[in-house]
Amino acid sequence: MSGTVDEQDGPVGRALLAAFEATHDDRGLAEQVCRTCLSGLDVDGASLALHAVSAARETLWASDAVAGLLDDLEFSLGEGVCMEAATTGRPVFVADICADLRRWPVFADAVVERTPARALFALPLRWGAVNLGVLHLYRRTPGPLPAEQRRDAVAAVNTAALMMLGARTDPGDGPWLDPTVSNRAEIHQATGMVLAQLGIGATDALARMRAHAFSEKRLLLDVAHDIVTRRLQFTPDEP
């Protein structure tokens, strides 16, 4: 992931950005991410789960029973496209699960036997080293996603990851994308300190703070306070 949100060129990314103004909780955001992908990509179903490889896994939204069953199968069997995407931090695109039976033998057999899904696509929601979850898409007919749709999907989940960090760590009413227009002075000050420490832009500095808050299960305001009071300092090597 590049660490920026400037690359949202496709219709899915643009639709997600436009819809976020009315979405301020993680379940609502998960639903919006899935619905925009269903509208803009050649897929039949979608789901979004947090903490995909841990016992704390939580499916925030699934478009239908098939999407929900695919998530349940992965969690129960401990293998599959989402598990791989979450573990490696890279998107996994399977054009035909019937042709990829050896990759995840138990999971692939279960998908073929119990669901109509034949093409599976899993995209991790990450910021740096923080793994938030995975967006899981499926299609009933085999075949790859077109290259343009792949790029749009990847860009959209990058935006979704940053939105999710904002919703989970700073559930107030300030705009998530531009720290300069928020009324939280200590967050502004901390953002300035982090960008100076790391030599990055304000949006990336704010995202780094949110990633730290998410991983530590703290609010952004508390992390900002620790930065301003110099109890917390970021270094270039720190995720």
Side-chain angles (χ1 to χ4, degrees):
M1 180 173 180
S2 67
T4 68
V5 293
D6 298 333
E7 54 195 345
Q8 309 314 315
D9 299 325
V12 175
R14 290 196 300 268
L16 185 56
L17 284 168
F20 182 69
E21 292 182 3
T23 307
H24 298 291
D25 64 272
D26 51 11
R27 291 187 184 276
L29 175 58
E31 178 178 355
Q32 193 60 55
V33 171
C34 292
R35 288 192 183 279
T36 53
C37 287
L38 289 171
S39 297
L41 304 176
D42 184 18
V43 297
D44 294 315
S47 64
L48 196 153
L50 292 182
H51 309 294
V53 296
S54 75
R57 179 189 179 102
E58 178 185 9
T59 300
L60 295 179
W61 197 81
S63 62
D64 54 46
V66 174
L69 178 56
L70 289 170
D71 270 8
D72 289 342
L73 288 174
E74 290 217 30
F75 183 67
S76 299
L77 300 174
E79 66 176 23
V81 292
C82 288
M83 292 288 188
E84 183 170 317
T87 301
T88 64
R90 296 189 295 271
V92 177
F93 298 98
V94 178
D96 186 355
I97 190 65
C98 295
D100 223 342
L101 295 175
R102 294 183 180 180
R103 192 169 179 179
W104 314 281
V106 180
F107 171 72
D109 281 345
V111 170
V112 173
E113 291 176 5
R114 300 183 59 182
T115 83
R118 292 299 175 264
L120 303 175
F121 316 115
L123 299 101
L125 277 74
R126 293 175 65 90
W127 186 269
V130 178
N131 181 4
L132 287 78
V134 175
L135 171 67
H136 194 182
L137 308 170
Y138 81 85
R139 191 173 58 227
R140 294 172 182 267
T141 56
L145 274 182
E148 184 177 345
Q149 290 191 20
R150 280 195 184 203
R151 290 192 295 268
D152 196 9
V154 170
V157 295
N158 287 349
T159 290
L162 189 53
M163 291 175 171
M164 188 72 70
L165 286 173
R168 301 281 288 189
T169 62
D170 185 24
D173 56 2
W176 69 278
L177 197 56
D178 185 358
T180 64
V181 299
S182 173
N183 59 3
R184 294 174 176 158
E186 200 161 42
I187 292 177
H188 299 167
Q189 185 179 355
T191 301
M193 294 173 68
V194 172
L195 69 86
Q197 291 166 7
L198 302 180
I200 57 180
T203 298
D204 285 357
L206 180 61
R208 187 69 66 91
M209 291 159 54
R210 281 182 163 143
H212 182 85
F214 181 89
S215 63
E216 298 293 327
K217 298 181 180 179
R218 303 180 67 199
L219 290 176
L220 178 63
L221 287 168
D222 296 333
V223 170
H225 180 71
D226 284 355
I227 294 169
V228 170
T229 57
R230 291 180 167 74
R231 288 198 291 266
L232 173 64
Q233 182 171 343
F234 290 96
T235 63
D237 295 331
E238 184 178 351

